[in-house]
Amino acid sequence: MTTLIDGKEVAASIIEQVKAASATLEAETGVKTGLGVVIVGDDPASHAYVGAKSRMAKDCGFNSVQHTLPAETTQDQLAGLVAQMNADTSLHGILVQLPLPKPLSSEPIIQSILPEKDVDGLHVVNAGKLATGDLESGLVSCTPAGAMILARRIRGNDLSGLHAVVIGRSNLFGKPMAQLLLNANATVTIAHSRTKDLPAVCRTADILVAAVGRAEMVKADWVKPGATVIDVGINRVPAPEKGEGKSRLLGDVDFGAVRDVAGAITPVPGGVGPMTIAMLMANTVIAAYRKAGKTPPVFI
Ligand code: GUN
């Protein structure tokens, strides 16, 4: 029997843990966890994501602050806002929604966020801590952190002896995911668009993580029977059968066929997606605990 990994259910359990943690921190220290989110421009998908993040932060009992800036915002104005949020002691986490509209440059903005408030885990200090195996004092990028929790729910905490293949080498996902798997003692391969015979490499995976951005690219004959398959893809494709102009979400994995081969698989939607926002809340309360000089809980 293939296990369907319910990301919504796991995310809801993480959110319950976050609510309890933020309530405990406030009761013990008077500190209310604070998250500041910045969105620039009017991309509808980005607005939908940011709205969901801000609402969830409120739901968790946080001080939730959203800055909505026009597309004409200059680099200096955005940098000034980040500097102001860095200095604001009521905010423990800062997130600048990506991508930024042209001609704004995201990298200097991300690197100007204080590492201890970088709840996206994108600052080089946090990436470096993960790369050196320091999971105690850094902040881990939310989507890989969430994908890792789902993999662990199936395979346990120690992945010794298991081969994990991550398809995709981005700084946002592929690289941090590989580091997390390595930290859990898996043998890790990072595959990408230049990998020779990608299907054959994937067939050796006990844990296969797909983050390529191409709908249904991973086929059933790419998957070892019994493998744990984590699908990070979110591909919006036209769905004329649902009506004119309608669309639907597909993962990077051919779910309908792969579900018969895999031992466990995440659906899209409802797999990794809900975990990202849950881990953002977890990172924010972790940052607040550290700022208050308290040991944060471990979210699993
Ligand atoms: N845009 C899409 N995903 C993300 C994310 O995880 N963090 C930020 N900052 N922007 C995003």
Side-chain angles (χ1 to χ4, degrees):
M1 249 314 263
T2 305
T3 302
L4 201 60
I5 306 172
D6 187 342
K8 275 196 277 192
E9 189 185 301
V10 180
S13 89
I14 300 285
I15 291 296
E16 288 311 308
Q17 295 171 51
V18 169
K19 285 179 181 172
S22 71
T24 300
L25 182 67
E26 194 167 351
E28 287 182 357
T29 66
V31 172
K32 195 176 174 79
T33 302
L35 174 65
V37 178
V38 181
I39 177 159
V40 187
D42 32 45
D43 177 67
S46 289
H47 272 272
Y49 287 134
V50 162
K53 289 170 186 176
S54 295
R55 278 194 302 279
M56 185 64 88
K58 272 203 190 80
D59 235 36
C60 288
F62 296 0
N63 169 33
S64 173
V65 178
Q66 183 177 323
H67 293 275
T68 306
L69 305 181
E72 303 73 41
T73 302
T74 66
Q75 190 82 26
D76 281 352
Q77 285 168 334
L78 183 55
L81 175 60
V82 171
Q84 184 192 316
M85 294 168 87
N86 276 339
D88 185 341
T89 53
S90 74
L91 297 180
H92 305 97
I94 300 172
L95 179 139
V96 178
Q97 185 69 16
L98 303 176
L100 292 171
K102 286 193 174 73
L104 292 173
S105 174
S106 57
E107 204 49 30
I109 296 296
I110 297 299
Q111 301 308 330
S112 75
I113 296 172
L114 284 175
E116 61 267 33
K117 292 192 178 190
D118 167 41
V119 284
D120 248 341
L122 299 178
H123 195 284
V124 290
V125 165
N126 286 318
K129 284 183 174 179
L130 177 59
T132 53
D134 173 3
L135 297 175
E136 298 302 310
S137 73
L139 290 164
V140 179
S141 183
C142 305
T143 305
M148 193 64 193
I149 288 181
L150 297 184
R152 280 193 151 131
R153 292 247 170 156
I154 301 299
R155 293 290 187 160
N157 272 343
D158 185 359
L159 307 180
S160 292
L162 297 177
H163 183 206
V165 173
V166 181
I167 323 173
R169 54 175 159 175
S170 67
N171 290 334
L172 202 63
F173 184 81
K175 285 178 198 165
M177 185 73 214
Q179 308 278 10
L180 287 172
L181 289 160
L182 192 58
N183 261 300
N185 302 319
T187 303
V188 182
T189 300
I190 304 180
H192 48 81
S193 56
R194 306 292 179 93
T195 296
K196 192 172 154 189
D197 200 352
L198 183 58
V201 173
C202 292
R203 270 192 297 275
T204 65
D206 302 299
I207 299 172
L208 180 60
V209 185
V212 282
R214 278 180 57 186
E216 299 186 325
M217 187 174 102
V218 175
K219 303 298 181 194
D221 64 353
W222 294 30
V223 176
K224 184 201 263 194
T228 300
V229 178
I230 308 287
D231 189 348
V232 187
I234 304 178
N235 306 286
R236 193 162 281 286
V237 298
E241 73 280 4
K242 285 169 64 179
E244 200 184 312
K246 296 280 186 200
S247 63
R248 64 194 172 112
L249 290 182
L250 288 179
D252 291 345
V253 175
D254 181 359
F255 181 83
V258 170
R259 70 177 302 171
D260 295 332
V261 183
I265 185 168
T266 61
V268 175
V272 175
M275 293 300 290
T276 298
I277 194 158
M279 298 319 290
L280 174 66
M281 301 303 134
N283 275 348
T284 308
V285 83
I286 286 169
Y289 267 72
R290 287 179 182 156
K291 183 72 183 168
K294 295 224 156 225
T295 305
V298 177
F299 295 94
I300 46 170

